[in-house]
Amino acid sequence: MIGSTLVNDAGTAAPVAEGNSAAAIAKPEPSQPSSAPAKIRVTNLSFFYDEVQALFNNTIEIPDRHITALIGPSGCGKSTFLRALNRMNDEIPGTRVQGEVLLDGVDIYGPTCDKVILRRRVGMVFQRPNPFPKSIYENVAYGPRVHGEGRKSRLDEIVEHSLRRAALWDEVKDGLHKSAFDISGGQQQRLCIARVLAVEPEVLLMDEPCSALDPASTFRIEELMRELQKDIAIVIVTHNMQQAARVSDTTGFFLKGELLEVGPTLRIFSKPDDKRTEDYIQGRFG
């Protein structure tokens, strides 16, 4: 459960103030963090927008059933890296990638990779809620329909199960056929999470999912992340140092397209190896 002090500023982007005890805000480390199997292995990943290089030889393992936070100043490459994990960057003309990204040992940039299947397995939630201009029900049922599920009874089950997993069912069960635009921003973001969950992803990518939300909605999303990590790997990009410390098991620090340091969150926030990591966390730049 999140402490009251931290809940109050869950919606802010303020860095952890110098002198704060990282142990007081960081999520407890798993007793054996190295025992978690790697769901995704990234090796020497570089990325280019035409001739402009945005990522430089980045290597990291994303453990299964863990939350990995990516932090760093604006424009450092965090979101580009995140989108590279399910090939969302492919939709941008002139981009190219070097290096290797393995999902369960299979290269997602290999010639046999089906991007539709990849994006079902590695789902994504964006910075601002982006529900479809459809009902709440149809938003959640959309993915299963695309993947061939047409039975009404089965779709009903999937919609309810997904909304329950997203901690939204009790709030919308009596208005499933209302427009998704009629619910609050925090509810819309949880609806977008339910829409991803409806196709049973193995990895959930979250690009600043709470930046547009109020503290109460942020609290619900963070609780939801902890519940979901029992089943899937989660990678979150966040500018909120307190959020990264609260929810993640592992934290990676990006600067100018390079993953400078990655490790257990408590260590990164209390005793980082790189002075630049410490300076960023303490708010000396960013």
Side-chain angles (χ1 to χ4, degrees):
M1 203 64 179
I2 301 174
S4 59
T5 301
L6 294 178
V7 171
N8 289 340
D9 54 17
T12 70
V16 177
E18 189 165 2
N20 279 1
S21 169
I25 64 173
K27 178 180 178 180
E29 293 180 49
S31 58
Q32 292 181 308
S34 61
S35 66
K39 187 67 177 179
I40 297 178
R41 284 189 172 89
V42 181
T43 306
N44 296 327
L45 183 67
S46 296
F47 190 84
F48 301 80
Y49 294 98
D50 290 317
E51 299 305 314
V52 178
Q53 187 167 0
L55 298 175
F56 298 84
N57 299 314
N58 293 302
T59 296
I60 186 176
E61 290 191 358
I62 308 295
D64 197 12
R65 299 182 184 183
H66 269 47
I67 299 175
T68 301
L70 303 178
I71 63 173
S74 296
C76 68
K78 306 183 300 295
S79 293
T80 296
F81 179 86
L82 192 73
R83 292 193 301 267
L85 300 182
N86 72 346
R87 296 186 60 172
M88 288 294 291
N89 292 322
D90 288 16
E91 310 312 313
I92 304 172
T95 59
R96 58 190 173 92
V97 64
Q98 295 176 354
E100 187 176 66
V101 180
L102 302 182
L103 175 63
D104 288 334
V106 178
D107 188 0
I108 69 169
Y109 286 93
T112 62
C113 177
D114 183 323
K115 286 191 286 186
V116 173
I117 295 176
L118 171 66
R119 291 171 188 167
R120 179 185 62 77
R121 297 181 65 193
V122 184
M124 190 162 191
V125 175
F126 297 92
Q127 183 173 359
R128 293 187 176 275
N130 61 339
F132 298 149
K134 299 174 180 288
S135 69
I136 294 168
Y137 182 100
E138 290 300 330
N139 264 268
V140 182
Y142 179 83
R145 278 204 178 101
V146 167
H147 290 283
E149 183 57 72
R151 294 169 295 170
K152 177 67 164 57
S153 59
R154 179 60 183 141
L155 288 172
D156 289 347
E157 292 173 1
I158 291 171
V159 169
E160 179 174 349
H161 179 63
S162 301
L163 289 170
R164 286 189 182 278
R165 289 185 74 193
L168 188 57
W169 172 255
D170 288 340
E171 298 169 40
V172 302
K173 62 183 179 181
D174 295 324
L176 292 177
H177 298 289
K178 290 172 51 178
S179 170
F181 297 136
D182 289 343
I183 58 179
S184 71
Q187 289 173 323
Q188 287 182 12
Q189 190 68 303
R190 282 181 284 149
L191 176 61
C192 292
I193 294 172
R195 189 174 65 197
V196 173
L197 295 177
V199 295
E200 297 291 336
E202 301 162 38
V203 181
L204 181 61
L205 310 178
M206 309 183 82
D207 192 358
E208 297 188 64
C210 303
S211 64
L213 303 182
D214 59 75
S217 296
T218 295
F219 174 73
R220 292 190 184 96
I221 296 293
E222 290 181 357
E223 283 196 320
L224 174 58
M225 290 170 61
R226 291 191 188 89
E227 186 64 28
L228 293 176
Q229 81 165 112
K230 297 175 183 177
D231 301 311
I232 62 177
I234 297 175
V235 187
I236 179 173
V237 163
T238 180
H239 279 103
N240 187 330
M241 296 302 94
Q242 293 166 331
Q243 181 175 70
R246 279 194 300 268
V247 304
S248 68
D249 304 291
T250 300
T251 297
F253 172 57
F254 271 90
L255 185 64
K256 297 180 179 179
E258 293 185 56
L259 185 58
L260 292 184
E261 185 169 2
V262 61
T265 292
L266 183 58
R267 181 185 67 75
I268 293 293
F269 276 84
S270 61
K271 194 176 180 181
D273 293 333
D274 194 299
K275 182 65 163 57
R276 292 167 292 182
T277 307
E278 178 183 350
D279 287 345
Y280 178 74
I281 288 172
Q282 298 295 347
R284 298 187 184 116
F285 72 94

